[in-house]
Amino acid sequence: MISKIVGFFSFFLFLMALEANELDFNAGVNSSFGNSYDFYSFSENTLDLNIFYKNFQSWVQYEYSNPPDIGFPINDIRKFRMEYDSRNFLIKLGDIYEIWGRGLSLNQFDDQTTNFDNGLRGLFIEYNKNPFTISHINGSSEFWNLGFDLRVPYFKDKHNMIANRFQYEKGTFTLGLTQLQSNEVHSKQDLNTANVSHKINGFYTSLFMKNFDYFIEYVDKISTEEVISIGSLPNDSLKHGYGLYANYNIYLGSWGFLSEYKKYAFDSFHGDQNADDYGNQILYQQMPSLGKEHNSTLLGRLSHNYNFNDERGVQYELNGSFYDISLTAQYAHLSRNQTWESMSGPFDWVRKPLKSNLPSTDISSLPYYENYQELSGYFLSDQLYFKLGRGGNKEVIGTNWYYNGLQTDTTLTTTFNYDTSYSIYLPDYPIITIDSLVDTSSTSYNINAKNWRESKSYTIPFELNYSMSNGYTFGIGFQYQERKLVEKREGNAKSYNVAQSKWIMVNPDDHSETFKSSVSQLSYDGQNKSTQFNRLISLTVSKASKWSFSLTQDWTNAYEVQNVDPYYNPLEALIYGDLKYFTGDRDKVKPPSFIQDKWLSAEFIYYITSSQRISIMYGSIQGGLFCSNGICRLIPSFNDGLKIGYSASF
Amino acid sequence: MTLKMIKYIFILLFFYTSLSGADESTNLIPDLKIKLLDGSKVSLHELVEEGPLMIDFWATWCVPCKKVMKYLDQYNQEYQSQGFKVLMINTDSPRSIGKVKSYIRSQKHTFKVGLDPNKVISKKLNGLVMPTLILVDKGGEIKWRHQGYLPGEEVEIEKQIKLLLNNK
């Protein structure tokens, strides 16, 4: 029905354009194609058209992708929306994307690079009578989540959502009250579904002044599940949680200091969302993460896996400048809202809420620390640009066991009692009765057993560009990273014996004897590596407004999961001067050992006009974590392939 | 049937748009409302009432955006007396929007900064590639579009601004 309305609406606008020539519009085209040696191929094409006619606006996005880089093949209208915007009324019909506050109750966006789309197809109405604004949304969404396949989604959750907002704005002061309810049909691992209802109520307030500003948002959330099994009460409360975010900034001259605090406690039992875990933070809620959004490839790969269900933290950032040098310094510390300790063995866990509202340093609360400092600026009459940074992070990824308590050893003693009295049945032998008496005397001693995985790294990104007056620019970028990923153990017990339900002591005769061990989880070709060294170097030459050429090499010495570059290509042979490749003395497919840990690619970008450009990339790109908008996904490597892109806006 | 019809309409509109794109004189900027960094609101038509406007989309993590901002701020101050102004539309998500004002203050930039955290404005103006520059004349007509920034392109940007100011 909505499609029909939009169709007629677009047609109406088209006719109006022909008749009255009062129609304004713009269009954008994005096209990308890729094909690699190991059958990683995609073809994505989107056309965006915006039409404006007096108070009416219409947007249509058409997509032809077969297959896309990530998602399902499509040859259809992907998104559409029409809007009517008068002085007091704003009405939208179609695909709705809204943000209320900082997103603790509602933050919708469409990011095709990570296949994240939490938009809603429906109706949005807003009435504004200064200083009051009332907004209403209702409609439905389908969220697709990836399963084992890194490119094709598998699980689908359906939401029917209704949300309302009341906002008061006076000068630079804002107060908003929000309410959102969503009925979800959740797809589980076994492909059964669960009917879940979510209710979110919250408020936010902000004030912007010349030398300071603040923002605070709080939401309360209740989820209930429709229970249909006999004997259970229907609509049992499933989960109850809340979220708090606060931001306070101070500005003095050319310096700005940011401080942020968050406490998200929607579900402490399920930190990692999977198909069988529902009722916690829903995808409409996309909140501040309190982490630095990096533009360095190597730092981006280390992004923390933010936990929107159960995480608290603080972040501070200082921005300033002196002379022509800009400075940024950032620090963040996050942790879970509680510690998790083993009850006895490593399989039963008990949580203890943290005593303060600040993030914890305790290993069992999975702390995460990051810091980043950067200097950038211009020299030589703005001809030389430099950027030098240093980023460090440390994270406890998970605990296998964490026990601090007592273990009791019980001694069993069997006593035989001999009855030597005479028996008429066995006159030659005394009767022996085996009365085993158990001696329950026991000894207790303290166990301190910790086993966790920890990652620690530092990264130095560096960039230098020299621009000449004739429009040519030469640039070099270098990123260096050292990373350790270890499994650590410490305490007076080194492991746990499941059969005996007992901790195995380091020294059974001396319980006070402790040990520490640290085993690297990184390796290369089966050989353990204590440190992973990553280096990324890029050389760039460009001519202003015309073209740009860059050569990039990504180099590592160790992996968490082995992921060598499996294919050799002429670009790699050329750059490394491997004449054997061209004389036919080298295997054309399997790369020699000196190239297996390197990914090399070349990219050429040509500006057809100021608003149209085409890019061609050839080579290999290492897979790994890719983050955008705070959403991360693992991307497969792209080996020995070609990518072509075209973008234009009219 | 309905979707097929929409497809045909869309294709027709696209060709019409593309053909009309050559005649830039018909390309008016829509009157979109935008929230500014100081908490106030303004519409694009209000901004072009006084003179030409350069719109640029940027984010705190976008290095080329930061490079071109330095020059746009220079032009904003240099040609202010002729009614020219720059509007930088920030597309940072709520995850880093708190850092925007801090960065702008640290760079002593004087241009207006708008906030578009869920990219509604940037989608309507086709500014998803960052940076995207849109030069609009006093009457609201889009005179020049530019995607991306390579060092040295500030010369062309200033040339387009001067051209527009001289032709007004």
Side-chain angles (χ1 to χ4, degrees), chain A residues 233-280:
Chain A
L233 290 172
N235 298 325
D236 282 350
S237 178
L238 184 64
K239 282 161 192 173
H240 182 199
Y242 66 93
L244 171 68
Y245 168 80
N247 170 211
Y248 185 76
N249 300 322
I250 303 171
Y251 311 101
L252 285 172
S254 62
W255 292 85
F257 179 74
L258 165 140
S259 60
E260 285 178 301
Y261 173 79
K262 73 170 182 182
K263 188 176 180 184
Y264 305 144
F266 293 104
D267 179 15
S268 58
F269 289 99
H270 297 91
D272 305 312
Q273 286 195 36
N274 59 54
D276 286 343
D277 178 23
Y278 47 88
N280 32 31

Side-chain angles (χ1 to χ4, degrees), chain A residues 514-534:
Chain A
T514 60
F515 89 121
K516 280 186 181 180
S517 75
S518 179
V519 179
S520 177
Q521 305 292 292
L522 300 163
S523 62
Y524 186 81
D525 267 348
Q527 290 188 333
N528 195 269
K529 298 276 182 184
S530 64
T531 308
Q532 183 185 46
F533 298 99
N534 296 311

Side-chain angles (χ1 to χ4, degrees), chain B residues 12-151:
Chain B
L12 276 174
L13 282 170
F14 177 72
F15 278 115
Y16 178 60
T17 308
S18 303
L19 290 171
S20 304
D23 178 12
E24 293 185 353
S25 64
T26 61
N27 208 351
L28 285 172
I29 194 135
D31 190 19
L32 304 174
K33 290 172 195 156
I34 187 158
K35 189 166 187 171
L36 299 179
L37 196 55
D38 61 9
S40 62
K41 281 181 182 169
V42 71
S43 80
L44 294 182
H45 283 192
E46 283 169 20
L47 288 173
V48 295
E49 272 174 9
E50 296 165 18
L53 175 72
M54 175 71 86
I55 299 169
D56 182 23
F57 295 93
W58 72 288
T60 53
W61 45 263
C62 169
V63 176
C65 300
K66 289 179 176 176
K67 287 180 182 171
V68 75
M69 279 166 83
K70 174 185 166 72
Y71 298 103
L72 291 178
D73 190 54
Q74 281 177 18
Y75 304 148
N76 183 58
Q77 293 181 48
E78 202 172 328
Y79 302 110
Q80 204 169 26
S81 58
Q82 298 176 59
F84 173 77
K85 59 175 77 70
V86 171
L87 172 66
M88 299 295 302
I89 299 180
N90 177 272
T91 60
D92 274 288
S93 70
R95 290 178 178 166
S96 48
I97 206 164
K99 299 174 181 179
V100 175
K101 192 173 177 182
S102 176
Y103 177 76
I104 293 294
R105 284 286 292 256
S106 75
Q107 301 301 306
K108 302 171 197 163
H109 290 325
T110 56
F111 42 54
K112 288 184 186 298
V113 179
L115 300 174
D116 183 26
N118 57 348
K119 299 183 175 64
V120 169
I121 308 282
S122 56
K123 278 181 180 170
K124 286 180 178 175
L125 297 178
N126 273 319
L128 290 174
V129 175
M130 277 188 285
T132 289
L133 292 99
I134 303 171
L135 185 60
V136 187
D137 75 2
K138 194 178 174 182
E141 282 183 23
I142 295 173
K143 290 296 186 185
W144 186 66
R145 276 180 173 273
H146 185 82
Q147 282 189 342
Y149 170 75
L150 293 173

Side-chain angles (χ1 to χ4, degrees), chain A residues 295-366:
Chain A
N295 46 45
S296 147
T297 308
L298 295 187
L299 277 166
R301 283 186 196 151
L302 292 179
S303 186
H304 171 61
N305 192 8
Y306 295 102
N307 186 333
F308 291 120
N309 285 313
D310 177 30
E311 200 166 66
R312 62 173 66 180
V314 291
Q315 179 176 221
Y316 306 105
E317 185 168 310
L318 179 71
N319 282 293
S321 62
F322 50 96
Y323 301 106
D324 265 352
I325 309 290
S326 300
L327 178 145
T328 296
Q330 176 261 359
Y331 171 80
H333 176 197
L334 316 176
S335 81
R336 295 285 183 93
N337 288 308
Q338 55 274 310
T339 57
W340 285 91
E341 295 191 6
S342 312
M343 284 174 72
S344 53
F347 310 113
D348 304 319
W349 296 84
V350 63
R351 62 180 180 139
K352 292 180 183 170
L354 299 178
K355 286 174 184 165
S356 78
N357 285 308
L358 293 172
S360 168
T361 56
D362 193 297
I363 291 163
S364 70
S365 68
L366 308 184

Side-chain angles (χ1 to χ4, degrees), chain A residues 533-553:
Chain A
F533 298 99
N534 296 311
R535 284 141 288 189
L536 192 138
I537 186 165
S538 63
L539 302 171
T540 307
V541 185
S542 66
K543 168 78 172 156
S545 305
K546 296 290 180 191
W547 54 264
S548 161
F549 176 77
S550 61
L551 193 64
T552 305
Q553 180 188 269

